[in-house]
Amino acid sequence: MSIILSHLEARLGGMSGGWSVDLGAHAQKLTVCMFEGGTIPGVTAFATLGLSEFALRTPDGERQYYLELMGCQYAPEGGYGPFPGTLEGVATQLVRRGRLIRRGDVIDLPGAMAPGSEMVALYAALPVYFDDAFSSVRREDGRGVAIVWMVPIGATEADYVAEHGWEKFEAQLVAKNPDLLDLRRPQFL
């Protein structure tokens, strides 16, 4: 996992904290890490470390992939913000189900990401705020690991993805250029 941690730290900044995740019967360890001082000034990033130890399958069960999740927000005031618990919950569900999350998938959250936020779901995206090389890394054993950016989105945005598909949603993201690091941003659709 040292290669993955180095890969994350190169863009997200130095690891300044971490939370162990209880996966019940699973022996492998999973951590949600906090990173500060990365390539985007004023942003705190969070990422899983150890999720890539689990082979996650496509819905048809035919192929397996390895991934780590990440999320970014402006540095939270007076705490860590919602990402540690949110990423823990998503990663735990992925491991329990053995199913991967793919680009364009939407995960509904039990509530808003933060007080006063309209963000009630997460959208699985490529980490486009970073250079192209950040989207994947090779583990020590040679397996490829995808870095999946979990972008907070609102209910109307999630409905748009369901109705029109991820390609059209991402075209709207490019056209309207919302600030995806702001957990209290207005919905753009």
Side-chain angles (χ1 to χ4, degrees):
M1 281 197 279
S2 62
I3 288 177
I4 294 173
L5 179 58
S6 295
H7 183 77
L8 294 170
E9 285 185 317
R11 277 72 167 198
L12 302 180
M15 188 173 93
S16 59
W19 297 265
S20 293
V21 177
D22 180 11
L23 295 173
H26 297 281
Q28 292 98 337
K29 184 177 180 183
L30 176 65
T31 304
V32 174
C33 304
M34 182 170 82
F35 300 88
E36 297 176 294
T39 57
I40 304 175
V43 169
T44 300
F46 298 89
T48 59
L49 186 61
L51 181 59
S52 60
E53 294 295 316
F54 299 89
L56 302 175
R57 299 204 167 276
T58 55
D60 62 13
E62 302 242 344
R63 298 185 71 191
Q64 63 186 25
Y65 293 89
Y66 301 88
L67 52 94
E68 298 289 353
L69 308 176
M70 59 146 304
C72 298
Q73 66 186 55
Y74 291 115
E77 295 178 21
Y80 304 111
F83 267 112
T86 302
L87 290 180
E88 174 183 341
V90 172
T92 300
Q93 288 302 313
L94 294 177
V95 170
R96 287 186 180 144
R97 293 179 182 156
R99 302 277 294 275
L100 82 136
I101 188 168
R102 297 175 293 177
R103 180 180 184 186
D105 285 348
V106 174
I107 296 175
D108 292 324
L109 298 173
M113 281 289 288
S117 174
E118 296 178 22
M119 306 300 106
V120 295
L122 295 173
Y123 176 80
L126 297 175
V128 295
Y129 278 16
F130 300 91
D131 61 276
D132 290 345
F134 182 63
S135 65
S136 65
V137 62
R138 290 247 170 241
R139 292 180 1 164
E140 289 87 346
D141 62 8
R143 289 187 202 154
V145 176
I147 307 298
V148 180
W149 183 19
M150 303 307 299
V151 178
I153 62 173
T156 59
E157 296 163 342
D159 291 344
Y160 188 92
V161 175
E163 185 175 333
H164 301 285
W166 67 266
E167 292 97 344
K168 287 187 179 179
F169 178 71
E170 289 189 8
Q172 289 293 320
L173 283 173
V174 170
K176 300 198 177 180
N177 195 27
D179 186 352
L180 300 178
L181 303 174
D182 182 358
L183 299 182
R184 291 183 178 85
R185 70 173 173 81
Q187 296 183 71
F188 67 92
L189 293 171

